[in-house]
Amino acid sequence: MEVFEAIYKRHSYRGEFKKSPVPREDLKKIVDAGIHAPSGTNAQTTDFIIADDAELIQQIYRIVGSPVLSSARAVIVCIAEAKAVYKGMSFEVEDCSAAVENMLLAVTALGYATVWLDGVLRREEKARRIAELFAIPPGKTIRVILPLGVPVEEKKQKEKKTFDERAWFNRYGGA
Ligand SMILES: Cc1cc2nc3c(=O)[nH]c(=O)nc-3n(C[C@H](O)[C@H](O)[C@H](O)COP(=O)(O)O)c2cc1C
């Protein structure tokens, strides 16, 4: 799939997934797209765990509670590490976001669907509880999880404002 087609086709999918598995070869391709994202000073502060074990996925579902996880065939867990990499600045949130967006596009290009689960992890210590499940070392935090599979339903990206409402050449707000 051409990159612009993937950009426009990408959408947040919260529906049911088909029973067909996601081969490890595809999961590796998707995560490799994340690995190739840019990061501040190339510090590469995001790590990934790919859960494709059905019982493990159900354990994640029981912690998070989002229905999309109940039929997910795989879950990519994105782990961020806060560390100062340039003049006291850290970029782990940006690094993780860049990796996630690359993976969303790869997921779309390969015919799968997913949703960026982030806000939901910050309540009721859900991120910490998943970190416990995977024995993630101290100092590293689960920032985003991506449940994925072949979608049952066809969904579309939510409507975006127009170019003219959000972007201008040379000055804010246009001429
Ligand atoms: C930083 C961030 C956090 C998000 N957290 C959640 C979340 O916790 N749960 C969820 O269902 N969707 C989450 N989303 C997905 C957004 O709701 C979704 O991208 C937005 O509604 C636009 O829809 P679209 O992705 O189809 O364009 C998150 C997206 C981003 C970028």
Side-chain angles (χ1 to χ4, degrees):
M1 189 184 289
E2 195 252 334
V3 68
F4 281 97
E5 193 184 346
I7 287 169
Y8 296 126
K9 269 200 176 153
R10 181 216 59 81
H11 60 276
S12 294
Y13 183 80
R14 301 180 184 81
E16 201 186 323
F17 294 106
K18 290 187 183 171
K19 295 222 181 306
S20 30
V22 183
R24 283 201 170 176
E25 193 190 334
D26 284 354
L27 290 169
K28 280 178 150 180
K29 251 189 192 167
I30 291 161
V31 173
D32 205 42
I35 285 170
H36 281 82
S39 61
T41 72
N42 198 29
Q44 304 173 62
T45 57
T46 314
D47 294 333
F48 309 88
I49 295 175
I50 306 148
D52 64 354
D53 174 84
E55 178 45 36
L56 200 49
I57 294 169
Q58 287 310 304
Q59 283 179 272
I60 301 171
Y61 170 48
R62 286 196 287 274
I63 294 171
V64 180
S66 300
V68 63
L69 281 157
S70 69
S71 63
R73 296 291 128 192
V75 178
I76 300 171
V77 178
C78 307
I79 304 146
E81 181 177 16
K83 55 177 174 190
V85 293
Y86 180 68
K87 298 186 178 176
M89 290 180 263
S90 59
F91 300 110
E92 80 280 4
V93 176
E94 293 85 346
D95 296 349
C96 181
S97 301
V100 168
E101 182 61 19
N102 266 16
M103 293 193 288
L104 297 186
L105 296 178
V107 163
T108 305
L110 291 171
Y112 303 109
T114 187
V115 59
W116 181 323
L117 292 182
D118 177 329
V120 70
L121 305 181
R122 300 196 211 177
R123 290 184 283 113
E124 298 155 28
E125 303 224 308
K126 290 177 183 181
R128 189 194 52 74
R129 286 156 63 201
I130 305 170
E132 253 174 42
L133 186 65
F134 289 103
I136 288 168
K140 299 198 174 202
T141 309
I142 294 180
R143 188 80 211 183
V144 177
I145 65 172
L146 301 176
L148 65 122
V150 179
V152 168
E153 303 157 71
E154 261 204 31
K155 300 273 186 188
K156 279 196 158 101
Q157 184 178 109
K158 276 201 192 147
E159 201 168 315
K160 306 300 179 212
K161 292 178 187 172
T162 63
F163 183 97
D164 290 344
E165 287 173 291
R166 286 179 68 183
W168 310 277
F169 286 100
N170 300 324
R171 58 185 288 177
Y172 186 86

